[in-house]
């Protein structure tokens, strides 16, 4: 095919540009992210070989890659930032696009945007597109506390297609609860799994990582835009030292992505028709011959943690589209945030990963620099330049995002080619149809280590993270340990495949070398009442236990220490045969409980809830002794969920009930979303859940949500009266009744539920209380219950 045969809508890359600066070096200008991107865009406009202002005026679409500081909620921006990054950059270079895009998070972003924008050009939705990204992380950290620090804040008008963070599937509550949110720890799990699959020792694998990355340092040393242009030996890269400390085993600092950079890169693509109109010389044209965009499952759902099927499939498809094999590639740049990101693709394609073939054009993320989400824009720019110098050759850019989560691939060449739509959607459906791995969120028992890492913090603190499989059912779990014996197992020899013991707690799963050590580290808590508590008041009155949440200054809201005390109190209640009824209330007259302590949550301190749930009740199974909520004042959010979890509710006239979580961006996940629709008419429950509407005590009584309403301040007295009435009944019968009710609640057919063979009935028939009840009835006297 010749240039003249091309459809005018064929997309073609016509300009690339890069910009960078290093602190302390000549020419350092303290540029913002916007200014770095604009500098790169100017280079790209000049790179077309025609009047840059004329090209800029033709731009109808700009697409920006997110900086790190706008890649997740709450990240500080010490020097300020633009409110509309794409249009800030466009305005600086004289472009006035009709469409501006801010891409989602992930290192796949640059290649994905090129793939997407090329398709938009081919479909006639765009004519001239600028794609760019930048980071000024190094400058921001360097000048954050400077007296003369610059202000990078700017407010820019104009439409913005902000696609959001796009973090779905990248982080889970399970990972967060076990400290598995940082990239080095997540990728270390993959590399350690790969080492075990290959049957290599730690020393052999470390040598392989060094051999892989040593040639990268040579490329970076010759790259004027590299953040760390220092050539290092394979041994130097992987040998721990004061400057090259362990981050997360097997990674030392030198072989993980370097985020402290000041870099920007840009790519200009347009239709062949526009390139002809603007007079861009054909020798500047580079075509996208193959492309694909695929995603993996969540980290803990993947069958194989030693590779990346999505990445391999994406690259294979891009090569198939281009009609070439991996051995025909003259230029390759594989995303290299960590070794596994490179070797996973090499393993799948049969490429050598021993340093014998060049796998980067920039120097890679640990050495050139991990320019936030924008690294691969630099790879594309370098690839385009190399291919122009080798007409007819092919180049591959593989861009990775998340934790081997998203992969975008592009195959480039100066050889003219029509646009070819990809089959990514069909391939993604195929990936999604493959079975995943069932997880155990609360893991208990003997297990086998599947993969692991040890995180090294400042001050010598180490934390082991284990992903394993339970022996009982094969479910996968994640657990942590800071015990020296367990850390010794993880840091010597081959831990993968070893037998360990795991136990679940409200604060997460913990792992130990055996059950004896687990009992030593976490002695079983005796299920008995203590003499005193910090956040709870306890009063025993015969067979009745009164529990008062004693945090009136915070409206009896609950934080982990208070929840833990309540959990222990109710453990003791259900274990004590002498206690037959429990009452829970709140101190003071203003609130039963305002739910979760949001101020404590906002403090950044660890948040967790006992396995038995909020207040030790909302997730507790086998509640076969009655619990009464005495609601005085507000029962909001988690406070309302506590009341919903109780068997009976007595409220005073001032009581107000609400699930207010949606008002602060949360949901009623401690049972409210489940129990309220089962307790109220569906429409009313939904209204309360979606709006935070408050229900009065009278309304709650009308709808059967509470049993009794008392005068103001008399909820506890009313609950005591209700408890007295329950005590007139057989505690054995009460317990059996609650057990059978719980067992049959999920049985939809009435007859099946009625005929359900509950062991509680068998136990009841041989109890002393059933004999006493019948005897007392015959003798016309009050029964003397023994609870046995």
């Amino acid at each position: 095919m010749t240039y003249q045969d091309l459809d005018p809508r064929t997309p073609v890359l016509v300009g690339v540009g890069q910009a960078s600066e290093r602190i302390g070096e000549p020419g350092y200008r303290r540029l913002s992210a916007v200014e770095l991107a604009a500098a790169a865009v100017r280079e790209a406009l000049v790179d077309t070989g025609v009047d840059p202002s004329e090209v800029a005026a033709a731009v109808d679409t700009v697409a920006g890659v997110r900086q790190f500081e706008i890649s997740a909620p709450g990240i500080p921006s010490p020097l300020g930032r633009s409110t509309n990054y794409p249009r800030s950059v466009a305005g600086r270079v004289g472009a006035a696009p009709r469409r501006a895009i801010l891409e989602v998070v992930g290192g796949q972003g640059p290649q994905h945007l090129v793939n997407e924008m090329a398709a938009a050009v081919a479909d006639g939705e765009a004519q001239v597109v600028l794609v760019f990204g930048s980071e000024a992380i190094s400058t921001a950290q360097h000048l954050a506390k400077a007296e003369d620090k610059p202000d990078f804040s700017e407010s820019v008008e104009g439409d913005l297609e902000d696609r959001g963070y796009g973090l779905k599937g990248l982080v889970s509550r399970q990972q967060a609860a076990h400290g598995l949110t940082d990239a080095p720890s997540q990728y270390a799990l993959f590399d350690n799994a790969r080492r075990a699959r290959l049957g290599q020792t730690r020393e052999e694998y470390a040598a392989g990582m060094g051999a892989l990355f040593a040639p990268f340092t040579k490329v970076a040393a010759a790259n004027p835009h590299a953040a760390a242009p220092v050539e290092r030996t394979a041994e130097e890269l992987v040998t721990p030292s004061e400057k090259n400390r362990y981050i997360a085993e097997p990674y030392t600092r030198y072989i993980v992505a370097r985020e402290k950079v000041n870099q920007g890169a840009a790519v200009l693509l347009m239709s062949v028709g526009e390139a002809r109109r603007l007079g861009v010389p054909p020798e500047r044209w580079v075509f996208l011959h193959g492309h694909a965009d695929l995603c993996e499952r969540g980290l803990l759902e993947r069958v194989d943690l030693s590779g990346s099927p999505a990445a391999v499939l994406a690259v294979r498809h891009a090569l198939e589209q281009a009609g070439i094999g991996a051995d025909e590639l003259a230029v390759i740049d594989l995303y290299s945030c960590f070794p596994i990101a490179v070797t996973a693709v090499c393993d799948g394609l049969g490429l050598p990963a021993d340093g014998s073939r060049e796998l980067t054009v920039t120097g890679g993320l640990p050495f050139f620099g991990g320019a936030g989400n924008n690294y691969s824009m630099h790879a594309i720019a370098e690839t385009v330049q190399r291919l122009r110098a080798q007409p007819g050759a092919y180049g591959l850019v593989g861009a990775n995002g998340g934790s081997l989560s998203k992969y975008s691939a592009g195959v480039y060449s100066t050889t003219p080619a029509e646009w070819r739509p990809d089959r990514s959607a069909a391939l993604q459906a195929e990936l999604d149809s493959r079975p995943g791995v069932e997880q155990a969120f609360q893991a208990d028992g003997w297990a086998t280590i599947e993969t692991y890492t040890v995180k090294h913090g400042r001050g010598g603190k180490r934390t082991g993270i284990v992903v394993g499989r339970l022996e009982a059912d094969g479910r996968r779990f994640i657990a942590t340990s800071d015990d020296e014996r367990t850390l010794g197992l993880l840091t010597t020899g081959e831990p993968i495949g070893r037998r360990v013991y795991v136990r679940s707690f409200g604060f997460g799963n913990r792992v130990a070398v055996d059950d004896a050590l687990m009992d030593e580290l976490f002695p079983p808590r005796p299920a008995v009442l203590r003499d005193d508590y910090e956040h709870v008041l306890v009063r025993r009155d015969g067979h009745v236990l009164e529990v008062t949440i004693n945090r009136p200054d915070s409206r009896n809201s609950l934080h982990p220490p208070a929840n833990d005390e309540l959990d222990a109190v109710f453990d003791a209640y259900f274990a004590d045969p002498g206690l037959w009824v429990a009452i829970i209330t709140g101190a003071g007259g203003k609130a039963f409980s305002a739910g979760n302590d949001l101020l404590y949550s906002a403090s950044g301190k660890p948040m967790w809830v006992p396995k038995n749930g909020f207040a030790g009740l909302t997730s507790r199974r086998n509640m076969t002794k009655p619990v009464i909520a005495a609601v005085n004042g507000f029962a909001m959010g988690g406070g309302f969920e506590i009341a919903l979890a109780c068997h009976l509710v007595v409220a005073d006239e001032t009581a107000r009930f609400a699930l207010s979580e949606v008002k602060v961006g949360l949901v009623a996940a401690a049972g409210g979303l489940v129990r309220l629709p089962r307790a109220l008419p569906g429409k009313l429950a939904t209204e309360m859940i979606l709006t935070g509407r408050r229900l009065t005590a009278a309304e709650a009584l009308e709808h059967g949500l509470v049993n009794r309403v008392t005068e103001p301040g008399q909820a506890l007295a009313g609950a005591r009266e209700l408890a007295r009435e329950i005590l007139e009944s057989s505690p054995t019968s009460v317990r059996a009744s609650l057990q059978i009710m719980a067992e049959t609640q999920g049985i939809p057919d009435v007859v099946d539920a009625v005929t359900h063979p509950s062991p509680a009935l068998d136990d009841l028939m041989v109890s002393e209380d059933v004999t006493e009840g019948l005897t007392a009835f015959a003798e016309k006297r009050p029964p003397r219950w023994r609870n046995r």
Side-chain angles (χ1 to χ4, degrees), residues 362-391:
T362 66
L365 282 86
F367 318 108
F368 169 81
N373 301 309
N374 196 55
Y375 164 79
S376 288
M377 198 78 74
H378 294 272
I380 296 169
E382 292 281 354
T383 297
V384 166
Q385 297 286 26
R386 289 201 183 194
L387 293 177
R388 285 173 175 166
Q390 305 176 62

Side-chain angles (χ1 to χ4, degrees), residues 421-621:
D422 64 291
R423 295 182 53 252
S424 293
L427 294 175
Q428 188 65 58
E430 176 190 326
L431 283 172
D432 293 344
S433 69
R434 298 177 184 178
V437 176
E438 185 179 359
Q439 296 179 55
F441 297 102
Q442 294 180 341
D444 294 277
W446 289 101
T448 302
I449 297 177
E450 189 174 5
T451 188
Y452 70 97
T453 187
V454 176
K455 296 172 64 172
H456 289 247
R458 298 290 183 182
K461 178 177 173 54
R462 299 187 300 167
T463 303
I465 299 178
V466 166
V467 173
R469 298 291 188 108
L470 291 172
E471 287 186 358
D473 54 20
R475 288 183 298 159
R476 177 182 282 160
F477 66 87
I478 180 173
T480 64
S481 176
D482 56 10
D483 161 66
E484 287 301 318
R485 281 183 58 190
T486 307
L487 289 173
L489 170 67
L490 297 179
T491 54
T492 57
E494 179 53 272
I496 294 178
R498 292 286 296 273
R499 195 172 190 240
V500 290
Y501 195 81
V502 62
R503 182 175 293 168
S504 64
F505 303 88
F507 46 79
N509 300 319
R510 296 295 180 264
V511 66
V513 295
D514 54 37
D515 53 349
L517 178 59
M518 183 67 75
D519 286 340
E520 180 184 328
L521 296 171
F522 302 97
R525 183 172 63 187
V528 295
L529 293 172
R530 303 204 310 256
D531 292 334
D532 63 89
Y533 298 88
E534 184 178 356
H535 307 289
V536 177
L537 300 176
V538 173
R539 176 175 177 265
R540 186 169 188 155
D541 183 11
H543 295 302
V544 178
L545 177 68
E546 293 182 5
V547 183
T548 303
I549 303 170
N550 190 30
R551 304 188 74 225
D553 291 343
S554 61
R555 298 173 68 189
N556 296 319
S557 60
L558 298 180
H559 58 356
N563 270 314
D564 195 46
E565 287 189 351
L566 286 164
D567 186 46
V569 166
F570 281 107
D571 280 349
Y573 164 64
F574 285 104
D576 191 334
L579 291 172
W580 298 354
V581 182
I583 299 171
I584 181 170
T585 192
K590 294 182 178 180
F592 168 73
S593 174
N596 187 40
D597 188 335
L598 297 179
L599 292 179
Y600 186 94
S601 299
S603 71
K605 296 177 183 177
M607 287 297 299
W608 57 274
V609 176
K611 287 175 63 177
N612 288 315
F614 213 62
L617 291 173
T618 60
S619 298
R620 185 180 289 270
R621 297 183 184 274

Side-chain angles (χ1 to χ4, degrees), residues 17-22 133-135 213 215-231 254 256-266 333-337 360-372 374-382:
Q18 299 182 74
S20 64
E21 60 178 4
R22 293 192 289 261
S134 56
E135 287 289 356
F213 274 165
F216 283 54
T217 70
K218 185 174 182 179
V219 176
N223 190 329
H225 296 293
V230 179
E231 187 172 352
Y254 286 162
V256 303
R258 174 183 294 270
E259 81 283 0
K260 293 182 180 180
V261 301
N262 297 317
Q263 296 171 336
D333 192 276
L334 298 179
Y335 202 89
S336 52
C337 50
T360 182
V361 295
T362 66
L365 282 86
F367 318 108
F368 169 81
N374 196 55
Y375 164 79
S376 288
M377 198 78 74
H378 294 272
I380 296 169
E382 292 281 354

Side-chain angles (χ1 to χ4, degrees), residues 224-491:
H225 296 293
V230 179
E231 187 172 352
R232 299 186 188 277
T233 65
E235 184 178 7
E236 186 181 3
L237 289 174
V238 296
T239 301
S241 65
E242 185 177 347
K243 292 185 177 180
N244 191 33
R245 67 181 183 86
Y246 271 122
I247 303 296
E249 297 187 29
Y251 301 146
T252 53
R253 187 175 69 86
Y254 286 162
I255 61 172
V256 303
R258 174 183 294 270
E259 81 283 0
K260 293 182 180 180
V261 301
N262 297 317
Q263 296 171 336
V267 172
L268 177 67
L269 54 91
M270 61 179 62
S271 67
V272 163
E274 278 296 288
R276 290 170 177 160
R277 185 185 70 81
L278 292 167
V280 180
E283 59 266 24
R284 314 304 294 166
W285 299 5
V286 174
F287 296 84
L288 189 60
H289 282 243
H291 48 95
D293 304 278
L294 293 175
C295 299
E296 288 281 7
R297 293 174 177 270
L299 190 156
L300 295 174
E301 300 174 50
R302 303 174 197 175
V303 173
D304 182 8
L305 294 176
S306 70
S308 178
V312 173
L313 191 57
V315 174
R316 280 180 178 167
H317 180 51
L319 291 171
E320 288 169 2
Q321 272 194 305
I324 64 170
D327 58 337
E328 297 175 75
L329 292 166
V331 177
I332 300 175
D333 192 276
L334 298 179
Y335 202 89
S336 52
C337 50
F338 301 92
I340 187 67
V342 180
T343 56
V345 176
C346 290
D347 290 348
L349 297 181
L351 292 170
D354 57 4
S356 62
R357 180 161 185 179
E358 189 174 81
L359 299 173
T360 182
V361 295
T362 66
L365 282 86
F367 318 108
F368 169 81
N373 301 309
N374 196 55
Y375 164 79
S376 288
M377 198 78 74
H378 294 272
I380 296 169
E382 292 281 354
T383 297
V384 166
Q385 297 286 26
R386 289 201 183 194
L387 293 177
R388 285 173 175 166
Q390 305 176 62
Y394 288 86
L396 166 69
V397 173
N400 165 73
S403 301
L404 299 182
S405 306
K406 308 174 185 179
Y407 210 85
S408 294
V411 175
Y412 299 87
S413 178
T414 59
T415 300
E418 296 282 5
W419 171 254
R420 302 181 183 97
D422 64 291
R423 295 182 53 252
S424 293
L427 294 175
Q428 188 65 58
E430 176 190 326
L431 283 172
D432 293 344
S433 69
R434 298 177 184 178
V437 176
E438 185 179 359
Q439 296 179 55
F441 297 102
Q442 294 180 341
D444 294 277
W446 289 101
T448 302
I449 297 177
E450 189 174 5
T451 188
Y452 70 97
T453 187
V454 176
K455 296 172 64 172
H456 289 247
R458 298 290 183 182
K461 178 177 173 54
R462 299 187 300 167
T463 303
I465 299 178
V466 166
V467 173
R469 298 291 188 108
L470 291 172
E471 287 186 358
D473 54 20
R475 288 183 298 159
R476 177 182 282 160
F477 66 87
I478 180 173
T480 64
S481 176
D482 56 10
D483 161 66
E484 287 301 318
R485 281 183 58 190
T486 307
L487 289 173
L489 170 67
L490 297 179
T491 54

